[in-house]
Amino acid sequence: MDSALDLGLFIVRLALGPMLILHGYNKVFGSGGLEGTTRWFAGLGLKPAWLHARIAPVNEIGAGLLLTLGLLTPLACAAFVGLMTVASLTDHRGKGYFVFKGGWEYTLLVGMVAVGLAAMGPGDWSLDHAFGWEPQGWGWALGAAVVGVVAAAGLLAVSYRPEKKDAEPVPASEP
Protein backbone atom coordinates (compact mmCIF):
# COMPACT_ATOMS: atom_id res chain seq x y z
CA MET A 1 0.00 0.00 0.00
CA ASP A 2 0.94 3.63 -0.35
CA SER A 3 2.49 5.07 2.83
CA ALA A 4 0.08 8.04 2.80
CA LEU A 5 -2.88 5.65 2.62
CA ASP A 6 -1.40 3.54 5.43
CA LEU A 7 -1.01 6.68 7.52
CA GLY A 8 -4.61 7.69 6.86
CA LEU A 9 -5.96 4.27 7.79
CA PHE A 10 -3.82 4.24 10.94
CA ILE A 11 -5.15 7.68 11.95
CA VAL A 12 -8.76 6.58 11.42
CA ARG A 13 -8.12 3.44 13.48
CA LEU A 14 -6.55 5.61 16.21
CA ALA A 15 -9.59 7.87 16.19
CA LEU A 16 -12.26 5.14 16.35
CA GLY A 17 -10.61 2.40 18.39
CA PRO A 18 -9.66 4.35 21.54
CA MET A 19 -12.99 6.23 21.38
CA LEU A 20 -14.89 2.97 21.70
CA ILE A 21 -12.49 1.65 24.36
CA LEU A 22 -13.22 4.76 26.44
CA HIS A 23 -16.98 4.33 25.97
CA GLY A 24 -16.68 0.79 27.34
CA TYR A 25 -14.40 1.91 30.16
CA ASN A 26 -16.87 4.63 31.13
CA LYS A 27 -19.72 2.13 31.37
CA VAL A 28 -17.74 0.22 34.00
CA PHE A 29 -15.70 2.89 35.78
CA GLY A 30 -17.54 6.15 35.01
CA SER A 31 -19.41 8.13 37.64
CA GLY A 32 -22.35 5.72 37.79
CA GLY A 33 -20.29 2.57 37.33
CA LEU A 34 -21.94 -0.68 36.34
CA GLU A 35 -24.94 0.13 38.53
CA GLY A 36 -25.57 3.35 36.63
CA THR A 37 -25.10 1.61 33.30
CA THR A 38 -27.53 -1.09 34.44
CA ARG A 39 -30.15 1.55 35.31
CA TRP A 40 -29.58 3.31 31.99
CA PHE A 41 -29.97 0.09 30.01
CA ALA A 42 -33.09 -0.81 32.01
CA GLY A 43 -34.54 2.58 31.08
CA LEU A 44 -33.78 1.87 27.43
CA GLY A 45 -35.66 -1.42 27.64
CA LEU A 46 -32.74 -3.85 27.37
CA LYS A 47 -33.56 -6.98 29.38
CA PRO A 48 -31.88 -8.20 31.49
CA ALA A 49 -30.20 -4.84 31.98
CA TRP A 50 -27.53 -6.16 34.35
CA LEU A 51 -26.31 -8.54 31.63
CA HIS A 52 -26.27 -5.90 28.89
CA ALA A 53 -24.40 -3.54 31.23
CA ARG A 54 -21.61 -6.09 31.28
CA ILE A 55 -21.74 -7.32 27.68
CA ALA A 56 -21.67 -3.85 26.11
CA PRO A 57 -18.39 -2.67 27.67
CA VAL A 58 -16.68 -5.98 26.90
CA ASN A 59 -17.75 -5.62 23.26
CA GLU A 60 -16.76 -1.96 23.12
CA ILE A 61 -13.34 -2.45 24.72
CA GLY A 62 -12.66 -5.58 22.68
CA ALA A 63 -13.73 -4.12 19.33
CA GLY A 64 -11.90 -0.87 20.07
CA LEU A 65 -8.71 -2.70 20.95
CA LEU A 66 -8.89 -4.93 17.86
CA LEU A 67 -9.48 -1.95 15.57
CA THR A 68 -6.72 0.11 17.16
CA LEU A 69 -4.25 -2.73 16.63
CA GLY A 70 -5.58 -3.59 13.18
CA LEU A 71 -6.18 -7.16 14.30
CA LEU A 72 -9.11 -9.16 12.94
CA THR A 73 -10.21 -5.88 11.42
CA PRO A 74 -13.37 -7.14 9.65
CA LEU A 75 -14.61 -8.64 12.94
CA ALA A 76 -13.89 -5.39 14.77
CA CYS A 77 -15.72 -3.43 12.08
CA ALA A 78 -18.73 -5.75 12.32
CA ALA A 79 -18.77 -5.21 16.10
CA PHE A 80 -18.71 -1.43 15.57
CA VAL A 81 -21.65 -1.71 13.17
CA GLY A 82 -23.59 -3.90 15.60
CA LEU A 83 -22.94 -1.63 18.57
CA MET A 84 -23.89 1.49 16.62
CA THR A 85 -27.04 -0.17 15.25
CA VAL A 86 -28.19 -1.08 18.75
CA ALA A 87 -27.40 2.41 20.02
CA SER A 88 -29.29 3.98 17.10
CA LEU A 89 -32.38 1.87 17.68
CA THR A 90 -32.46 2.25 21.47
CA ASP A 91 -30.86 5.36 22.95
CA HIS A 92 -31.03 7.58 19.83
CA ARG A 93 -34.36 6.37 18.46
CA GLY A 94 -37.02 8.98 17.80
CA LYS A 95 -34.68 11.91 18.49
CA GLY A 96 -34.07 12.89 14.88
CA TYR A 97 -30.79 13.00 13.01
CA PHE A 98 -28.62 15.55 14.82
CA VAL A 99 -26.49 14.33 17.70
CA PHE A 100 -26.88 17.62 19.59
CA LYS A 101 -30.55 16.70 19.94
CA GLY A 102 -29.73 13.11 20.93
CA GLY A 103 -30.15 11.83 17.37
CA TRP A 104 -28.42 9.10 15.45
CA GLU A 105 -25.96 11.23 13.44
CA TYR A 106 -22.96 10.03 15.49
CA THR A 107 -23.88 6.36 15.46
CA LEU A 108 -24.47 6.40 11.70
CA LEU A 109 -21.12 8.10 11.09
CA VAL A 110 -19.19 5.66 13.29
CA GLY A 111 -20.89 2.65 11.70
CA MET A 112 -20.28 3.90 8.17
CA VAL A 113 -16.61 4.67 8.87
CA ALA A 114 -16.24 1.12 10.22
CA VAL A 115 -17.70 -0.28 7.00
CA GLY A 116 -15.33 1.97 5.05
CA LEU A 117 -12.39 0.60 7.04
CA ALA A 118 -13.52 -2.94 6.30
CA ALA A 119 -13.48 -2.02 2.59
CA MET A 120 -10.05 -0.37 2.72
CA GLY A 121 -8.49 -2.84 5.12
CA PRO A 122 -6.39 -1.91 8.13
CA GLY A 123 -3.34 -0.90 6.09
CA ASP A 124 0.25 -2.03 6.33
CA TRP A 125 0.64 -0.56 9.82
CA SER A 126 -1.50 -3.26 11.40
CA LEU A 127 -1.21 -6.66 13.03
CA ASP A 128 -3.34 -8.14 10.26
CA HIS A 129 -0.64 -7.11 7.78
CA ALA A 130 2.15 -8.31 10.09
CA PHE A 131 0.49 -11.74 10.17
CA GLY A 132 0.18 -11.78 6.38
CA TRP A 133 -3.57 -11.23 6.22
CA GLU A 134 -4.87 -8.50 3.91
CA PRO A 135 -8.65 -8.27 4.41
CA GLN A 136 -10.01 -5.57 2.13
CA GLY A 137 -12.58 -5.04 -0.58
CA TRP A 138 -16.29 -4.80 -1.07
CA GLY A 139 -16.88 -8.33 0.27
CA TRP A 140 -15.31 -7.47 3.62
CA ALA A 141 -17.30 -4.23 3.76
CA LEU A 142 -20.56 -6.00 2.95
CA GLY A 143 -19.72 -8.75 5.44
CA ALA A 144 -19.01 -6.26 8.26
CA ALA A 145 -22.24 -4.40 7.54
CA VAL A 146 -24.42 -7.52 7.29
CA VAL A 147 -22.88 -9.32 10.28
CA GLY A 148 -23.14 -6.17 12.42
CA VAL A 149 -26.77 -5.46 11.52
CA VAL A 150 -27.83 -9.11 11.84
CA ALA A 151 -26.13 -9.41 15.25
CA ALA A 152 -27.83 -6.21 16.40
CA ALA A 153 -31.20 -7.40 15.12
CA GLY A 154 -30.78 -10.71 16.94
CA LEU A 155 -29.85 -9.00 20.19
CA LEU A 156 -32.78 -6.60 19.95
CA ALA A 157 -35.21 -9.38 19.01
CA VAL A 158 -34.44 -11.34 22.16
CA SER A 159 -33.85 -8.57 24.66
CA TYR A 160 -35.33 -5.20 23.68
CA ARG A 161 -38.53 -4.64 25.62
CA PRO A 162 -39.07 -0.87 26.02
CA GLU A 163 -41.80 0.33 28.33
CA LYS A 164 -44.94 1.42 26.57
CA LYS A 165 -45.47 5.12 27.09
CA ASP A 166 -48.98 6.22 27.88
CA ALA A 167 -50.66 7.94 24.98
CA GLU A 168 -51.24 11.65 25.24
CA PRO A 169 -54.67 12.30 26.73
CA VAL A 170 -57.15 13.49 24.14
CA PRO A 171 -58.56 16.85 25.21
CA ALA A 172 -62.28 16.87 25.77
CA SER A 173 -64.19 18.72 23.13
CA GLU A 174 -66.12 21.77 24.18
CA PRO A 175 -69.91 21.48 24.29
Side-chain angles (χ1 to χ4, degrees):
M1 259 191 199
D2 177 302
S3 62
L5 181 58
D6 289 321
L7 174 62
L9 292 169
F10 183 64
I11 290 169
V12 172
R13 290 191 355 251
L14 286 182
L16 283 186
M19 176 273 305
L20 200 61
I21 291 168
L22 291 173
H23 273 260
Y25 180 89
N26 188 58
K27 284 179 176 66
V28 177
F29 301 109
S31 62
L34 278 174
E35 295 78 22
T37 301
T38 300
R39 287 190 301 276
W40 176 42
F41 282 3
L44 292 175
L46 293 168
K47 312 286 184 193
W50 67 268
L51 181 60
H52 289 279
R54 284 151 180 83
I55 291 172
V58 168
N59 285 336
E60 290 173 346
I61 292 168
L65 186 60
L66 289 174
L67 194 67
T68 301
L69 297 172
L71 178 63
L72 303 174
T73 302
L75 177 64
C77 292
F80 268 76
V81 170
L83 287 160
M84 294 303 110
T85 301
V86 170
S88 293
L89 295 173
T90 59
D91 193 29
H92 300 274
R93 184 181 199 151
K95 298 177 182 173
Y97 174 73
F98 294 105
V99 71
F100 63 84
K101 294 183 177 183
W104 44 269
E105 171 184 20
Y106 162 81
T107 56
L108 177 66
L109 176 65
V110 171
M112 289 182 74
V113 170
V115 172
L117 274 172
M120 295 295 298
D124 288 351
W125 302 353
S126 68
L127 289 179
D128 284 343
H129 177 77
F131 294 137
W133 191 39
E134 302 290 337
Q136 62 184 26
W138 67 268
W140 292 107
L142 181 62
V146 169
V147 168
V149 169
V150 168
L155 180 137
L156 292 172
V158 300
S159 63
Y160 184 50
R161 304 290 181 266
E163 298 290 324
K164 301 270 191 250
K165 294 186 179 170
D166 293 332
E168 292 281 327
V170 178
S173 59
E174 293 185 31

